[in-house]
């Protein structure tokens, strides 16, 4: 019997069991959406870090390092830098607002700050974009199960989707926070043991440096070939980790501002250190297997062929843990966005708390199902699927959220013009310029800058005596 497959099955059952046990405590939407605003530093640290270490951070980063080398650190490193801004600038300020006005979602903040039209537009964009990131995370589970047991793509997506949907639908953020503690322990232990053994098995650091003889820039952390590689990821990823709806809503669940600063700040430091581990695995794979055709299979390949069977199985469970932990964070965005931002605000404003909770669970189930279907139909690239979401969030949400926190005069028009400008420029570059920027300027950065210009110009045309909400 396949040891890795058995271990993954047992581990998946454990995650579901822990989630269902904690779900008994969920009595209303407050516990489901923001865990009753009582997350401690350890729980906030673990649930944010578990959300940030997902398919892109493990399988995607290893595949990127297989191609580009050490500069793949920027995939996770950019997220860590963005998280520092969330911890010390955006997070504490938006937590205070959320507590004072009983906000549950990023959409609640946008409506409080700009009005219902902005809330509706962003909620719709997030729902569409989030499905792509969910599909991207599920592709990681597909890669693992395909290498371990030859499970077909549809089967791997279905198994991963079933695990994360079951425990999240039951308990929301409260279940996720506790399950993430288990996942994080397995993840960090698995990678911490696996990386030095794999690097040693392929010939040590000298073998990795040897690849640089035929691949210029392979050992240069600042190497970049343009958008989609190296330090250019900073423009795509850092803004997302400052204002991502899922991360902002996890910050809402903190018990106080100090918890936001310490919990999210510590996870940023750990994420920056962790960023090197999958990169070293990808570089080791390039030294040992220079002809891998599908880069998303690099990491599971190294775990199965360069580790003892038991350790390899634990390491694969760690990757599966990362994929599932990020999936539940994505379902968090999907369910809260549809139930609180769309259903309660636009469809049934008089809905009871119990009805909103029911719709949230139904939305999570529907989102999980659609994510599985999308994972089966998308091109089999984790990075490509995730980049769609990150670009959409950056160009549509970054300027309205940051502007809403620090520019008091801005209102609905500023936010809507910023969203339209950012999305139009980014989508236009995707369609008419094959997804490339202008010169060395990243297309997502161009979209975000366009949103900022539209925001500032519209604000400049606003009469000084006009009200914030139009």
């Amino acid at each position: 019997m396949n040891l890795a497959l058995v271990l993954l099955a047992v581990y998946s059952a454990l995650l579901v069991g822990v989630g269902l046990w904690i779900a008994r405590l969920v009595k209303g939407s407050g516990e489901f959406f923001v865990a009753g605003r009582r997350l401690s530093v350890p729980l906030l640290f673990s649930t944010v870090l578990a959300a940030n270490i997902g398919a892109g951070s493990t399988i995607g980063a290893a595949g990127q390092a297989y191609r580009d080398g050490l500069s793949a650190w920027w995939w996770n490193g950019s997220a860590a830098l963005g998280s520092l801004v969330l911890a010390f600038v955006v997070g504490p300020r938006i937590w205070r607002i959320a507590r004072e006005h009983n906000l549950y979602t990023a959409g609640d903040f946008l409506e409080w700050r700009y009005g219902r039209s902005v809330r509706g537009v962003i909620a719709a964009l997030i729902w569409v974009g989030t499905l792509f990131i969910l599909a991207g995370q599920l592709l990681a589970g597909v890669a693992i199960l395909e290498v371990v047991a030859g499970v077909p793509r549809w089967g791997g997506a279905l198994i991963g989707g079933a695990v994360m949907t079951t425990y999240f639908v039951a308990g929301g953020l409260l279940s996720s926070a506790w399950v993430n503690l288990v996942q994080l322990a397995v993840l960090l232990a698995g990678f911490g043991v696996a990386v030095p053994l794999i690097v040693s098995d392929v010939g040590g650091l000298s073998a990795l440096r040897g690849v640089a003889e035929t691949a210029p820039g392979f050992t240069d952390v600042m190497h970049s070939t343009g958008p989609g590689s190296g330090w250019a990821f900073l423009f795509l990823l850092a803004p997302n980790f400052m204002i991502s709806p899922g991360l902002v809503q996890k910050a809402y669940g903190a018990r106080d501002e100090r918890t936001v600063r310490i919990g999210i700040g510590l996870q940023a430091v750990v994420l920056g250190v962790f960023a090197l581990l999958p990169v070293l695995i990808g570089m080791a794979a390039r030294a040992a297997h220079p002809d891998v055709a599908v880069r998303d299979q690099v990491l599971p390949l190294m775990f199965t062929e360069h580790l003892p069977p038991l350790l390899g199985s634990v390491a694969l469970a760690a990757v599966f843990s990362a994929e599932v932990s990020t999936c539940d964070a994505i379902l968090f965005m999907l369910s809260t966005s549809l139930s609180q931002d769309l259903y309660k605000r636009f469809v049934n404003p008089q809905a009871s708390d119990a009805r909103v909770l029911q719709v949230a669970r139904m939305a999570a189930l529907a989102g999980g199902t659609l994510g599985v279907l999308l994972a089966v139909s998308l091109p089999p690239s984790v990075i490509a699927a995730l980049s769609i979401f990150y670009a959409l969030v950056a160009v549509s949400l970054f300027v309205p959220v940051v502007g809403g926190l620090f520019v008091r005069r801005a209102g609905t028009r500023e936010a809507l013009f910023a969203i339209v400008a950012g999305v139009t420029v980014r989508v236009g570059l995707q369609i008419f310029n094959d997804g490339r920027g202008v010169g060395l300027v990243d297309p997502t950065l161009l979209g975000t800058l366009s949103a900022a210009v539209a925001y500032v110009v519209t604000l400049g045309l606003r009469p000084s005596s006009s009200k914030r909400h139009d």
Side-chain angles (χ1 to χ4, degrees), residues 223-239:
H223 178 69
S224 176
T225 57
S229 74
W231 56 264
F233 280 131
L234 185 66
F235 305 116
L236 173 67
L237 298 176

Side-chain angles (χ1 to χ4, degrees), residues 26 28-34 103-108 111 119-120 122-124 126-127 130 168-169 171-173 249 330-367:
V26 175
S29 60
E31 285 85 5
F32 191 90
F33 288 152
V34 293
L103 308 182
Y104 284 172
T105 69
D108 284 341
E111 178 167 1
R119 178 190 191 130
I122 289 293
I126 288 174
W127 228 88
T130 302
F168 179 81
V169 167
L173 180 57
Q249 287 167 222
I330 299 162
L331 281 185
F332 182 45
M333 284 190 281
L334 286 168
S335 65
T336 56
S337 179
L338 190 145
S339 59
Q340 183 77 359
D341 297 334
L342 295 177
Y343 176 78
K344 183 172 176 60
R345 188 63 185 90
F346 295 98
V347 178
N348 187 7
Q350 305 304 316
S352 66
D353 186 76
R355 178 58 179 167
V356 173
L357 180 58
Q358 180 185 35
V359 172
R361 285 173 165 151
M362 292 169 58
L365 182 60

Side-chain angles (χ1 to χ4, degrees), residues 255-269:
R255 60 175 50 157
D256 52 35
E257 289 182 55
R258 176 178 176 275
T259 298
V260 173
R261 285 191 288 267
I262 296 177
I264 299 179
L266 282 177
Q267 78 80 34
V269 174

